[in-house]
Amino acid sequence: MNAASPGSSLPALRPQDQSFMPDVAAPLVADPYGARPPLGLRLSDLLITLRLRWKPLVAAFCLPVALGIGGAMLLKPRFTADSVLMVLLNRESTTVQDVSGIGPSVVSVELLRVVRGEAEILGSDDVLRRALRRIGISTLFPDLKPPPATGNSTPEEMEMAAAVDAFRRVLAIEADTNANILRARVTLPDRALAIQALAAVVDSYVERRGEMYSDENSRLLSAELSRYADRLRQTEAEIAALRDQYGVLDIGQEMSLTATRLDSIRQRQDGLREQQVTAESQLAAARQRLAAEPERVFASQEATNLAPNDDSRNQLSRLLLERERMARQYNPDYPPLREMEGRIAAARAAIRESARATYSTTRQVRNPNLELLNQRVVTLEVEADALKRQGEELARQRTELEARRTELVQADTRMRALQRAREGMEAVTRQLTTREAATRMEEDARRQRGNTITVVQPATAPLEGRGIRRLVALGGIAGGIALSAGLALLLTLTR
């Protein structure tokens, strides 16, 4: 090997190197004035390094390229759900007067402030927590691993905090500086899940704004109205139960009917007592007369001179009639006619004989007053017994009616108390209903006068997702070129 020239900074070249580069050492000859030659880097040096060290340079190029292409193949397309919201601003929201002095003027500064404030509300933790509760943490982030709980934090709180951080990384909110437009984007590998997540964020944001701008007066009035309505229904149920308990619809009318029936029973009892006294008096008088009446009374008395079963006069009458008949038909000397006259004379003699004795008959019969009095006594006894039983029945009815009247008086007292309570609650309920409706109208008007949000575009996502496969592959190629170039430069400088 030949020795290097004096003053040269390059190492001595081998014979094969010298034959390859005959003019390399010529410009490196020592300066005639003794100055050291500057260190330089030429294209030929890089070519020499590429010729001598091509294997590590190829490895340095292929390794990033392989990593980039492999990563691009493993990456999945991601879908971005987009939603557009418009912030509406009225004059009442500002304090800057217009030129005419009639109403406030809306300026761009106030609009930008309001839009930025709405963007902060849209991306707040409360809105994201509501959205996560709507979707479910396991549905949106199935591979989420929350950190262990520390201090007073619970595993649920740590999981929610980790989910909020992960959700904030996939959520992007843009506020247009020249318009009252808000854009919200959610990027996820699943298109449907991205749309669902963004819709949940928008719904939670609108719900949160409604709670922020809502007034508590109508809510308090609604709660109070509901409470009084419950009490009113309970009172109505107690009134119905009281009516069912006593079996009436109108207690006042039932009390009036009961008093009327009770008065009628009292009048009937008075009349019944009079009838009982009359019947008892008649019964006593009938028994007294019955005891004083004789058993038999004189009926008739007869006096006659005819003996009992004496038929002489009748026989004489028949004989006289027969003689007269025969006298018309026969001569006076007719023998049967003379015989008939003899019989008539014998009958007259018998009559004269019996007329000498006189007979008398006196007849007594049972006293007819006894039967009448006995019938009257029996009738009065039956009537007295019936009046007694009727009196007992009226007394029982009167006792029941008096007990019923006492119950109705108690029920009327309770009913009046319940009705007074119901009337008071109805009056309060009417007032609360009127005030609640008026308050709700005022709140709606106030809410319409304030800031409002209009969802211009609901959550939508393109059908084809956007991937970074090309960028990753190109990045791998660029990285391979850069790494191989850097390695070549390093090898050239250190060769």
Side-chain angles (χ1 to χ4, degrees):
M1 181 178 296
N2 296 332
S5 300
S8 176
S9 59
L10 294 177
L13 297 177
R14 291 176 294 181
Q16 57 270 24
D17 296 337
Q18 293 177 0
S19 60
F20 180 75
M21 298 181 64
D23 297 333
V24 172
L28 298 179
V29 178
D31 189 88
Y33 297 98
R36 187 179 181 88
L39 180 63
L41 182 64
R42 298 180 180 180
L43 180 61
S44 58
D45 297 335
L46 295 176
L47 294 175
I48 292 172
T49 303
L50 180 62
R51 172 70 179 79
L52 296 178
R53 298 287 188 264
W54 64 271
K55 292 183 179 180
L57 293 178
V58 170
F61 174 77
C62 293
L63 181 62
V65 171
L67 293 176
I69 295 176
M73 295 177 63
L74 293 177
L75 289 176
K76 296 181 179 180
R78 301 177 68 84
F79 296 88
T80 301
D82 192 4
S83 180
V84 179
L85 293 85
M86 181 171 61
V87 181
L88 302 179
L89 189 66
N90 289 340
R91 296 182 182 274
E92 286 80 359
S93 303
T94 61
T95 57
V96 181
Q97 297 292 331
D98 60 348
V99 178
S100 62
I102 299 176
S105 300
V106 178
V107 295
S108 60
V109 177
E110 297 293 337
L111 181 61
L112 292 178
R113 289 178 181 177
V114 173
V115 172
R116 289 177 182 176
E118 296 296 336
E120 292 295 329
I121 297 175
L122 181 59
S124 62
D125 288 348
D126 190 13
V127 173
L128 298 183
R129 290 175 185 272
R130 289 171 182 260
L132 288 172
R133 293 190 188 98
R134 288 174 180 268
I135 305 173
I137 298 177
S138 60
T139 304
L140 188 59
F141 303 110
D143 300 331
L144 180 66
K145 295 181 179 180
T150 58
N152 297 328
S153 300
T154 60
E156 291 77 10
E157 293 177 353
M158 298 299 296
E159 182 181 10
M160 180 60 72
V164 169
D165 294 338
F167 202 178
R168 186 173 281 109
R169 286 193 295 269
V170 299
L171 176 66
I173 300 173
E174 298 179 1
D176 196 344
T177 57
N178 297 324
N180 56 339
I181 296 296
L182 281 177
R183 292 184 179 273
R185 295 186 178 90
V186 173
T187 304
L188 290 174
D190 190 353
R191 178 178 179 274
L193 188 60
I195 295 175
Q196 183 181 1
L198 185 57
V201 171
V202 174
D203 293 341
S204 302
Y205 164 65
V206 174
E207 181 181 351
R208 178 56 180 163
R209 286 190 77 259
E211 293 179 358
M212 290 173 53
Y213 290 103
S214 63
D215 198 349
E216 296 295 330
N217 292 333
S218 63
R219 184 179 301 176
L220 293 176
L221 290 175
S222 299
E224 196 69 15
L225 180 61
S226 176
R227 187 171 67 86
Y228 270 93
D230 294 339
R231 291 180 58 186
L232 184 59
R233 284 192 293 268
Q234 182 179 0
T235 305
E236 292 287 351
E238 292 179 359
I239 292 175
L242 186 62
R243 289 174 177 173
D244 294 338
Q245 179 182 357
Y246 291 97
V248 294
L249 295 177
D250 190 350
I251 294 182
Q253 184 178 2
E254 186 69 17
M255 289 180 62
S256 177
L257 294 175
T258 303
T260 302
R261 291 181 59 191
L262 188 59
D263 184 66
S264 176
I265 288 178
R266 288 174 180 173
Q267 294 178 3
R268 291 175 61 187
Q269 282 182 333
D270 294 339
L272 184 61
R273 280 193 291 267
E274 293 178 0
Q275 293 179 8
Q276 286 179 344
V277 172
T278 303
E280 291 176 356
S281 302
Q282 291 179 358
L283 181 58
R287 287 176 178 174
Q288 184 178 2
R289 291 289 302 274
L290 182 60
E293 287 290 333
E295 186 177 356
R296 294 182 178 274
V297 294
F298 175 78
S300 61
Q301 186 176 3
E302 295 180 356
T304 182
N305 57 355
L306 296 176
N309 299 323
D310 186 5
D311 197 25
S312 301
R313 295 181 182 274
N314 294 333
Q315 188 176 3
L316 177 61
S317 297
R318 285 193 297 270
L319 290 174
L320 289 175
L321 290 174
E322 184 66 22
R323 179 183 176 280
E324 183 179 359
R325 184 182 67 79
M326 292 177 67
R328 286 196 303 267
Q329 294 180 358
Y330 300 99
N331 295 325
D333 57 350
Y334 182 63
L337 185 59
R338 288 195 296 270
E339 183 181 359
M340 180 63 67
E341 290 178 354
R343 293 174 60 186
I344 291 173
R348 289 177 177 174
I351 290 173
R352 286 193 297 270
E353 185 66 26
S354 61
R356 295 176 183 176
T358 302
Y359 302 95
S360 63
T361 303
T362 302
R363 187 169 63 89
Q364 291 183 348
V365 296
R366 179 176 175 80
N367 192 354
N369 293 334
L370 293 178
E371 297 180 0
L372 296 176
L373 291 174
N374 285 327
Q375 293 179 358
R376 186 60 178 170
V377 167
V378 172
T379 303
L380 291 174
E381 288 178 351
V382 172
E383 185 178 357
D385 188 28
L387 291 175
K388 180 180 179 181
R389 294 188 178 182
Q390 186 178 1
E392 293 175 355
E393 179 64 23
L394 289 176
R396 185 186 65 81
Q397 293 181 6
R398 180 176 179 179
T399 303
E400 292 180 355
L401 287 176
E402 289 178 350
R404 178 68 172 174
R405 183 183 62 181
T406 304
E407 293 178 354
L408 290 176
V409 168
Q410 297 176 358
D412 183 65
T413 303
R414 293 176 56 188
M415 182 64 73
R416 289 179 182 274
L418 291 174
Q419 288 178 350
R420 286 195 299 269
R422 181 180 63 180
E423 291 175 358
M425 285 185 288
E426 285 179 350
V428 174
T429 303
R430 284 194 293 268
Q431 293 180 1
L432 288 176
T433 303
T434 306
R435 293 183 60 187
E436 193 267 341
T439 305
R440 189 176 298 277
M441 292 174 61
E442 292 178 359
E443 291 177 1
D444 293 340
R446 190 182 303 112
R447 194 178 296 111
Q448 292 177 1
R449 287 195 302 268
N451 298 334
T452 57
I453 293 294
T454 301
V455 180
V456 178
Q457 174 184 327
T460 56
L463 296 178
E464 296 182 358
R466 295 182 179 180
I468 56 175
R469 293 182 177 181
R470 295 181 180 178
L471 294 179
V472 172
L474 293 177
I477 295 173
I481 295 174
L483 182 61
S484 60
L487 182 61
L489 181 62
L490 180 63
L491 291 177
T492 303
L493 293 177
T494 59
R495 178 167 54 88

